[in-house]
Amino acid sequence: MGAKVSLLDKVALITGASSGIGKATAHAFAAAGAAVVLAARRADLLEQVKAELAAYGKPVLAVPTDIVQEADLQTLRQSIADAFGRLDVLVNNAGLSLGGPLQESDANAIHSMVELNVYATIRVTQVFLPQMLALRQGHIVNISSVAGLIHSPGQAAYAATRGAVIDFSHALRRELAGSGVRVSVVLPGWTRTPMIEKMDLRLMRAAGIMPPQTTLDNAEVPARAIVDAVSENRSQVTLGGLGFAFGSLMHRLSPSLLDWYYRFFTNKPKMLQVLKDLG
């Protein structure tokens, strides 16, 4: 592995930066000396994050953006060009989750999730990639999920979007090899959010949603992994503990092995209900 890439005075854009992993990632980049661009739909929350980042003494730009809207994307692109003249790091973090039995899922909710998790990730990358290629430098980090590896019951549509992001990331990395633009994908496991905090973790474990040796991480854990993916040029970072790593290995060896696990070591009705409650 080569020398670490310094993030000092780099310009980093984080989508979905108003809360959760996005907010923690903004702090992590600012702490590493980067100028940070915050993008999310809620202007009031973006301003709160911007005020927090002022403590690091680096430039912060907050641009209220709905990344599924083309006009908003073009405004974001122009705002970054006006403020900094370039973009060094793109973190495609914005996303939605949806769980429960597929036949009970709202069609509009599925459409919105696919549009945000897949289309917007591809389109935001497409908007900012030309300037990175012109400068022959840059790093794109796409945020997926371990759900894209272990294919849990109750997450069929969500897992499809997360698997798509993994595939997009690896194909794009190979496409851009030698261009100076690097691509990473980070797969968080269960991460503490206000919604997760309201759930009964014992029920989640009893249902098999949190297998043995999985972790419930603070948002700072994937945030640090995202920064490290850039500074150390990591192609893929998988989080969530040994339980998810083992489940992914089982699926790669034979999908039937993971079928067997879900059949005999999980409570599928409870799993479907808990995932539906989580959203």
Side-chain angles (χ1 to χ4, degrees):
M1 183 175 294
K4 285 189 176 183
V5 174
S6 172
L7 296 176
L8 183 64
D9 296 326
K10 300 291 187 181
V11 180
L13 165 61
I14 298 116
T15 68
S18 60
S19 63
I21 293 174
K23 177 180 176 179
T25 301
H27 275 272
F29 273 98
V36 177
V37 182
L38 308 170
R41 289 182 297 178
R42 289 192 54 180
D44 56 338
L45 294 181
L46 282 184
E47 289 301 321
Q48 292 177 21
V49 178
K50 180 179 179 180
E52 294 174 12
L53 298 186
Y56 299 100
K58 292 296 179 179
V60 182
L61 176 66
V63 185
T65 308
D66 183 347
I67 61 172
V68 302
Q69 300 298 323
E70 186 65 25
D72 280 17
L73 281 183
Q74 295 304 325
T75 297
L76 177 62
R77 182 192 60 78
Q78 190 61 52
S79 297
I80 295 172
D82 292 343
F84 301 108
R86 71 182 198 282
L87 182 67
D88 300 303
V89 180
L90 166 61
V91 180
N92 283 309
N93 167 73
L96 290 173
S97 64
L98 180 68
L102 181 63
Q103 70 275 14
E104 297 178 13
S105 299
D106 179 77
N108 290 327
I110 293 175
H111 183 278
S112 295
M113 179 179 66
V114 173
E115 185 176 38
L116 181 60
N117 291 7
V118 182
Y119 171 75
T121 294
I122 295 171
R123 181 58 186 146
V124 174
T125 301
Q126 193 177 36
V127 166
F128 288 100
L129 181 57
Q131 59 186 270
M132 291 184 173
L133 289 172
L135 295 174
R136 296 193 59 81
Q137 65 86 32
H139 203 123
I140 299 160
V141 185
N142 298 319
I143 311 308
S144 178
S145 166
V146 293
L149 295 178
I150 62 168
H151 319 106
S152 167
Q155 291 187 311
Y158 177 67
T161 68
R162 290 323 196 182
V165 171
I166 296 170
D167 293 345
F168 169 66
S169 302
H170 290 307
L172 184 63
R173 187 182 71 257
R174 290 161 186 153
E175 178 178 326
L176 298 178
S179 72
V181 181
R182 298 171 171 178
V183 181
S184 302
V185 60
V186 175
L187 287 62
W190 287 110
T191 306
R192 292 185 185 275
T193 64
M195 184 179 296
I196 292 294
E197 293 294 344
K198 295 177 182 177
M199 299 302 298
D200 187 335
L201 295 182
R202 291 173 298 178
L203 179 61
M204 293 174 69
R205 292 193 183 279
I209 296 173
M210 295 185 68
Q213 301 303 312
T214 58
T215 59
L216 178 58
D217 296 325
N218 293 322
E220 289 74 18
V221 173
R224 174 47 53 190
I226 292 165
V227 169
D228 288 347
V230 176
S231 63
E232 300 176 9
N233 190 28
R234 298 182 179 179
S235 59
Q236 178 172 314
V237 182
T238 304
L239 304 172
L242 293 176
F244 287 130
F246 184 63
S248 175
L249 176 61
M250 290 173 68
H251 177 77
R252 290 201 306 273
L253 291 174
S254 171
S256 296
L257 289 175
L258 203 53
D259 294 347
W260 175 79
Y261 169 80
Y262 281 123
R263 180 178 178 184
F264 292 105
F265 291 94
T266 66
N267 185 319
K268 189 181 294 184
K270 285 185 178 180
M271 176 179 284
L272 293 175
Q273 185 59 51
V274 171
L275 288 170
K276 183 178 180 179
D277 291 342
L278 283 172

